[in-house]
Amino acid sequence: MNYIWEVVGRHPTGQQPTGAETIQKLCDRVASSTLLEDRRDAVRALKSLSKKYRMEVGTMAMDHLVRILQTDRADTEILGYALDTLYNIVCNDSEEENQQKQEEDLGVQFTDKFIQEPDNITLLLTLLEEFDFHVRWPGVKLLTALLKSQCAPVQGIILVSPMGVSRLMDLLADSREVIRNDGLLLLQQLTKGNTAIQKIVAFENAFERLLEIITEEGSSDGGIVVEDCLLLLLNLLKNNSSNQNFFKEGSYIQKMKPWFEVGDDNSGWSAQKVTNLHLMLQLVRVMVSPVNSPGATTSCQKAMFQCGLLQQLCTILMATGVPADILTETINTVSEVIRGSEVNQDYFASVNAPSNPPRPAIVVLLMSMVNERQPFVLRCAVLYCFQCFLYKNHKGQGEIVATLLPSTIDANSISAGQLLCGGLFSADSLSNWCAAVALAHALQDNLTQKEQLLRVQLATSLGKPPVSLLQQCTNILSQGDKLDRRGSRVQTKVGLLMLLCTWISNCPIAVMHFLHNQDNVPFLTGQISENLGEDERLVQGLCALLLGICIYYNDNSLENYTKEKLKQLIEKRIGKENFVEKLGFITKHELYSRAAQKPQPAFSTPEHMLFDHEFTKLVKELEGMITKAVLRSSEEEKKEEEVKKTLEQHDSIVTQYKELIREQDSQINELKEQVTLQSSQNEKLQNTITQQFSQIQQHKDQYNILKLKLGKDNQQTGNQAEAAHVNGLQPEELSQLREQLEELQRQNQLLQTQLTEKDSLITSLEVELLKAQLQSQTAEITQLQSERQELLRGSETTVSGEVKTLLESKELMEKELASATSTDAIMQAEKSKLQQEVQESKKEQDDLLMLLADQDQKILSLKQRLKDLGETIEDEDDLDSRDQFDDDDDDEEEVEEEECDE
C-alpha cells in the first residue's frame, strides 16, 4: 500500500488519513494532474481501494474515471485501470446473503448513475473495439455487470447505438478464449427478454458461430463453454418465432443430430455432460413446443424426422445406463417431436425396446408409468409421451383400444391395453389416475373408439360372469369403502370420473349404456346432494358434469331416463341452482387453471395430480351447454326445438335457392357463350357478304368497260374493218372477240342471279336467328323474374325484421348522440364561464400589482424625505422589506402562472 501514500503525498508514519480522505485526494490528483504518469498512478490506486471502499470510490471517483475513458484513449494501461475500477464499483461478488443484498443495492445505484448519460455506454462500446487485452477484457466484464444490474435500460441504449450489437458479436471471433467466453456471458445477459436484440444477434450469424464453438469444445462432452453456448441459443430461440424459422431454414436442425450420439457404455456420466445434454434436449423442445404456431411446429417435426434426429432420441430412450433426469427429459422431448405429426407417431409406434423378446417402446414406457416404484417425474413424462402419441392420431387410438377387445387379446404377451386396465384397478391411486387419463386420451374426439370400448369385458372373479369396462368403472366409484382402504380416494375418483365424462360425451350410445345400470343415477344424485368436505367438492362437481352429459347427449331411448325425467329428478333431489353451483366447483378449483395452461402435466407432488389439460378443454366446452340444458323448462326446449326446425327448414330453403341461383348462373353463362358464338358467326357472314359485294362491284365495272367498248365497235363498224386491216386484225379474230364479249355478258347475268339468291338467303337467316334469340331470351327473362319474385317473397319477412332491428338501433344511437351533444354543450358553457372568471381574476391581480407598485413608490419617497430631515433608517429593515416584496411578487407570479395553466 506504500505506493498509495506516495501518490497522495503522505507517509504512513504518524496520523494516517481516512479512506474517504485518501480517495478524495486521489480524485483531485486524477482531475488536476497534467502528467499522464501521475493520473495513471492515481487511477491504479483507486482500483486497489475500490473493493474495500466501494461506496466512497463510486461516489467520488466515477465522474473522474469516465473522463479518463474519454480523454486518455491513447494509453491502454490507464484505460484498463479505469475499467477495472468501474467494474469493482458496479459488480456484486459477495456470497453472504445480507451483504450480497447491500452490494446489489449499491450496484444498482452506481449503474443508474453510470447510465444516466447514454454516451457512457456508447463510449464503452467504442472501447471494446480496442484489441488490447487489458482494455477489451475489463470492458466486457463491466458491460456484463451493467446488464446484470439494470438489464432493460442498458439494452435500450445498446439497441439504439449504431452498430452496437455488431460490435459485441465480434467478441465471439476473438482468438483469446477468455474474452470469447466472457463475450458469451455478455451476450446471454444482452439477449434476455429482448426480441429485437435477439433478432439482430441471430442475423449476425450467431447460430453458425455458436454451433462451431460447441463442436470445437466437444459437444455434449465439452465443458462450461458448451453450456454457455446452449444457454445463449435458448435465449435466442425461446418464444421468438422469427429466429426459430431462421434456425430451421438455415438447416441448423440437421447439425444438432451429432449431439445425441451416445455409445453403448453410458456409465459414469459427468455432471457437466448431464447439464449439457439436458440443455440440448431443451433446445429441441423449444423448436417443437406446443405453444409455437402449428405450421412452424409441423415443419420442425418433419425436419427432425428426415435428418434422423428423432431416431437418435429414440435410441437414447431405449439405451441402458442413461441417468434418470436425462431419460425423463428425453421422454418429454420425444413427446413433443411426435405430438400431432402422423409420420413421427407412426415411426414411434414401430420402435422396439432391445429386450428378449422385443417389446414395443410404448409398452415398456407404460410399464414404468403404472409401476409405483418409479420416480414421480418419470411417470409424468411417460404419461405425457402417451398423450402426445395419441394426439390427433385416430390410427394410434384404434390400435390401443384394439388391444382391449376380446378378439385381439394375446395371452402370451403384455399389451398396452392390459397395462392400462391393470393400472386402472390397482391399489396405487396415482396409477389409477394415470391409467384413467391415458385411456381417456385413447377416446378423445373419436366416436368410433368410444363405441368399440363398450365391447370390452372384464373377468372380475371365478364363477362370476364378466362385466363391461364401463360397469366396472362405475362399480369402483360407488364402492367408497374400498377406495378408503386405497388411501387417496379423491385422486382415484377424479381419474375415473374424467374417464367416464370423456367416454360418454358426444356418444349417445355410451350414455344409454351408462344409464342402463339402475345404480348409476342414484349414486350421482346422492354424491351431488350430500354436504361433503372441501376435498370432496371436486368429486361433486365432476358427478354433476357426468349427470349433465347424460342429459345433454340423451337420445331419450330409455323410457325411465329421458331428458325430462332426469331434469325432474335433479329439481326434486338436488335443486337446479344447487346443481349449477356444484358444477362450478370444477373451474373454481385452484389446480384447474394450472392444468389448463399447457399440455404437459407438471405437478410438484403426486397429490396435486388431479386435472388433465384436454379434460379442462372439455369442461370449458360443456359447462355452459349443460347449465342451459338443465335450467331450461320443457316449454323452452320445445320452443327451441321448433326454432331449430324452423332454422333448419329455412337453411334448407336457402340452400335450395342457392343451388337454383347457381343453376341459373350457369345457364346465363351458357346463353352468354351462345350469344358470343352467334355474334362471331354473324360477323363471319357479314365479312363474306362484304367480300361478295366487292366481287360483284368488280364484275359490274368490267361489264361497263366491255359495254363501252361494244358501243364503239357498233358505231364504227365500217371503220373497224379498215382499222382491223390496218392494225393487222383479221375478221376471224374480230368474231372471236365478239363471242368472248357475249360469254362475259352471260356470266355477268348468272352472277347477278346468284347474288340475288344469296341476299335473300342471308336476309331470311338473319330474321330467323333474331326470332329464335328473342324467343329464348324472353322465356329466360320471364323465368328469372318469377324466381326473383319467389325469392323476394321468401326473404321479405327476414329482411323486414332486420330493417326493424336496424331502425331501432338507429333511434337508440340518435338518442345517445343527442345526449352526448347536450353534454358537450354544457361542458362548453362551463369552459367559457371558467375562462371568463380567469380573465377577471387576472384583471384584479393586475390592479393589485399597480397598487403595490404605487405604495412602494410612496414608501421610498417617504424614506428619502426622512433621510433628508436627518432621521436614521436601518438598512436591514429596508432589505427585509425589499426581499419580502420580491417574495410576494414571485408568489403572485406563480399563482398567475398556475391559473393560466388551469
Side-chain angles (χ1 to χ4, degrees), residues 46 103 143 149 151 188 278 336 509 512 613 684 699 864:
L46 286 172
E103 291 194 357
L143 190 54
S149 182
C151 188
Q188 283 181 29
H278 197 275
E336 293 182 353
I509 297 175
M512 183 189 68
H613 177 76
K684 290 180 181 179
H699 288 304
Q864 186 65 37

Side-chain angles (χ1 to χ4, degrees), residues 512-525:
M512 183 189 68
H513 278 258
F514 181 79
L515 294 176
H516 193 268
N517 186 355
Q518 301 296 325
D519 298 330
N520 289 341
V521 173
F523 167 73
L524 293 178
T525 54

